[in-house]
Amino acid sequence: MTELLSDTARDTVLQPLLDSGWAMVDGRDAIHKTYKFANFIEAFGWMTRAALWAEKWNHHPEWSNVYRTVEVTLTTHDVGGLSSLDTKMASKLDTL
Amino acid sequence: MTELLSDTARDTVLQPLLDSGWAMVDGRDAIHKTYKFANFIEAFGWMTRAALWAEKWNHHPEWSNVYRTVEVTLTTHDVGGLSSLDTKMASKLDTL
């Protein structure tokens, strides 16, 4: 079962993400990051790779795109906050 | 040169879009539409087709996606408002 991140997981798994460009969303148990690319082709190419992982893992981001910028918010609606699915996805997005 | 839509074009080209699901954005000379799909695969598949047209025409939407919903805003930043590029793109998006 997917569960909210424990305090321990927040210290050990979430905190490194927050130290590397992710940020908590005001008023939500969710994380956000802005990715900037060289141009739209790079931005949407990255989104396409991310989309395949999102579908494969059945865990989909809230995201927006304007030309070379992609804004991503991750949370787990089923549990009303951050779960290990979000930290796993955040780490994956950072490697794409 | 790309120019702001004339009053005539707003009557003849923009109005039909506003009658078919597009809406003016509050406080901006821009149009917006929400598309709902069966699931993420359909939503992102549609975005991918749209992205190819956007790049081909060098006219990119402001858009966001949450699972099966895609929100699209169109405007022409170079002219500070709606141009024929936006009505052309809106019509294309409706056919994809």
Side-chain angles (χ1 to χ4, degrees):
Chain A
M1 285 293 294
T2 305
E3 298 178 348
L4 283 175
L5 284 182
S6 67
D7 288 348
T8 302
R10 285 170 194 264
D11 287 344
T12 57
V13 184
L14 179 58
Q15 190 58 48
L17 292 167
L18 300 178
D19 293 338
S20 70
W22 290 86
M24 295 298 298
V25 176
D26 280 351
R28 297 178 65 188
D29 192 24
I31 53 175
H32 173 270
K33 189 169 184 176
T34 302
Y35 293 89
K36 289 267 192 186
F37 299 90
N39 52 44
F40 180 76
I41 289 176
E42 296 298 321
F44 198 80
W46 179 87
M47 289 179 75
T48 303
R49 296 196 297 281
L52 293 169
W53 284 101
E55 185 63 21
K56 182 186 182 82
W57 287 345
N58 194 30
H59 190 60
H60 303 86
E62 304 170 18
W63 52 357
S64 63
N65 160 244
V66 179
Y67 195 56
R68 68 187 188 91
T69 302
V70 182
E71 308 258 358
V72 181
T73 297
L74 298 174
T75 192
T76 303
H77 296 100
D78 287 351
V79 301
L82 289 167
S83 77
S84 60
L85 289 172
D86 300 304
T87 52
K88 181 169 98 164
M89 181 61 74
S91 298
K92 175 57 73 179
L93 294 181
D94 282 344
T95 69
L96 294 180
Chain B
M1 284 292 296
T2 303
E3 298 177 347
L4 284 174
L5 284 183
S6 66
D7 288 347
T8 301
R10 285 171 194 263
D11 286 343
T12 58
V13 183
L14 179 59
Q15 190 57 48
L17 292 167
L18 299 178
D19 292 338
S20 70
W22 290 86
M24 295 300 298
V25 177
D26 281 351
R28 297 179 65 189
D29 191 26
I31 53 176
H32 174 272
K33 189 168 183 175
T34 302
Y35 292 89
K36 289 267 191 185
F37 299 90
N39 52 44
F40 180 76
I41 289 177
E42 296 297 322
F44 199 80
W46 180 88
M47 289 179 75
T48 304
R49 295 197 298 281
L52 293 169
W53 285 102
E55 186 62 22
K56 181 185 182 85
W57 288 344
N58 193 31
H59 190 58
H60 303 86
E62 304 170 18
W63 53 357
S64 64
N65 161 243
V66 180
Y67 196 54
R68 67 187 189 92
T69 302
V70 182
E71 308 257 359
V72 181
T73 297
L74 298 174
T75 192
T76 303
H77 296 100
D78 287 351
V79 300
L82 289 167
S83 76
S84 60
L85 289 171
D86 301 302
T87 52
K88 182 168 97 165
M89 180 62 74
S91 297
K92 174 58 73 179
L93 294 180
D94 283 342
T95 69
L96 295 180

